[in-house]
Amino acid sequence: MPDYTFETPEPVDLRIKAASGTVTVLAADTTTSTVEVTALDDDARDMAEETTVRLSGRSLSVETPERRQILSIKRRRIAITVTVPTGSSLSTRTASATVSATGRYGTVSAHTASGRIELDQVDGDVEAHVASGDVTIGSGRAVSAHSASGQIRIGHATGDIDIKAASGKIQVGVAEGSVRAKTASGDISIDEARAGTVALDVASGDLRIGVRSGVTAHLDLRSVSGRIVSELPIDDDAPDDGAPLQIRARSTSGNVLVVPAARV
């Protein structure tokens, strides 16, 4: 199966387009970029051989040929494994594949129709969209994550967060900026909110927000058939310049809980 090695003393702009299988990327302290393309099924050997790998300047592209299979039961999966320098940017588009990126990246944009997306550390903005599957992001700046069916987990975001899910649990660790999260069915939790506006909406599920110690928050909480509880200390005097954290939480059928972050 094809293997490629390129001299890349600087971070690269990696773009991957594949159909089905796995995409595994490692960002490491290296001055070379390597690409391995392996057929996971016998019927995918020709796709692996015909996969195009090119380096042009700082742009490294990996693209598998398109195959239209109408009423075919053949499995044609390939595994793409890439190593690039730390700080590289990553863009992937797959039809049905698991995407895993370990290490530290500049920016990441990952899209797949069906599969799992797992991203480690991103210094810049992150975009992760999947129709059916889970999304896990270790850290990023501004984060946009969408999943029609699957769980979404974000460890730490230094910028704003935008999350949409039709069915699935949403979990956020530390949010330094604003958060907008919405799901029809599933719980939403934030371990530590620090500033900006937190707007959470769920039709069926519980909402839980932890507020960083020392941060003053203005609360606007509603639930049609659930309990609403705030364990934050109450200050009779509002700050002159307004509360640095605004929390708006809505649940049709579920509880709403706001607590000090240390207790989440």
Side-chain angles (χ1 to χ4, degrees), residues 47 87 101 115 135 137 150 183 227:
M47 291 184 64
V135 175
I137 301 168
T183 183
R227 296 183 301 112

Side-chain angles (χ1 to χ4, degrees), residues 166-202:
S167 175
K169 182 183 295 184
I170 296 173
Q171 296 174 294
V172 177
V174 176
E176 295 191 30
S178 295
V179 179
R180 182 174 60 182
K182 184 175 183 179
T183 183
S185 176
D187 298 339
I188 303 177
S189 66
I190 301 175
D191 289 349
E192 183 178 303
R194 297 184 177 180
T197 299
V198 174
L200 309 182
D201 289 274
V202 61

Side-chain angles (χ1 to χ4, degrees), residues 16-205:
I16 299 175
K17 184 178 180 181
S20 62
T22 63
V23 174
T24 304
V25 184
L26 170 64
D29 293 332
T30 179
T31 58
T32 61
S33 294
T34 62
V35 180
E36 298 179 8
V37 184
T38 307
L40 298 177
D41 303 298
D42 290 340
D43 290 321
R45 291 183 179 274
D46 58 337
M47 291 184 64
E49 293 290 346
E50 295 171 16
T51 294
T52 302
V53 179
R54 292 191 180 96
L55 177 66
S56 178
R58 292 177 56 180
S59 178
L60 175 60
S61 64
V62 182
E63 184 170 350
T64 62
E66 294 185 1
R67 292 286 190 271
R68 294 186 178 273
Q69 297 183 1
I70 302 176
L71 301 178
S72 174
I73 61 173
K74 293 181 178 179
R75 305 186 71 183
R76 301 170 66 89
R77 301 169 303 155
I78 65 172
I80 298 174
T81 305
V82 184
T83 299
V84 293
T86 295
S88 295
S89 64
L90 171 64
S91 174
T92 68
R93 288 189 175 272
T94 62
S96 176
T98 295
V99 178
S100 175
T102 304
R104 185 171 61 82
Y105 298 84
T107 61
V108 173
S109 174
H111 294 249
T112 185
S114 175
R116 186 173 68 253
I117 296 176
E118 298 178 349
L119 309 177
D120 194 2
Q121 304 173 50
V122 185
D123 293 335
D125 296 345
V126 183
E127 186 177 283
H129 293 180
V130 58
S132 176
D134 296 342
V135 175
T136 302
I137 301 168
S139 63
R141 189 169 56 193
V143 177
S144 173
H146 297 175
S147 177
S149 176
Q151 298 187 14
I152 298 177
R153 305 178 185 88
I154 299 171
H156 190 146
T158 58
D160 294 345
I161 298 174
D162 181 20
I163 303 175
K164 294 179 182 178
S167 175
K169 182 183 295 184
I170 296 173
Q171 296 174 294
V172 177
V174 176
E176 295 191 30
S178 295
V179 179
R180 182 174 60 182
K182 184 175 183 179
T183 183
S185 176
D187 298 339
I188 303 177
S189 66
I190 301 175
D191 289 349
E192 183 178 303
R194 297 184 177 180
T197 299
V198 174
L200 309 182
D201 289 274
V202 61
S204 176

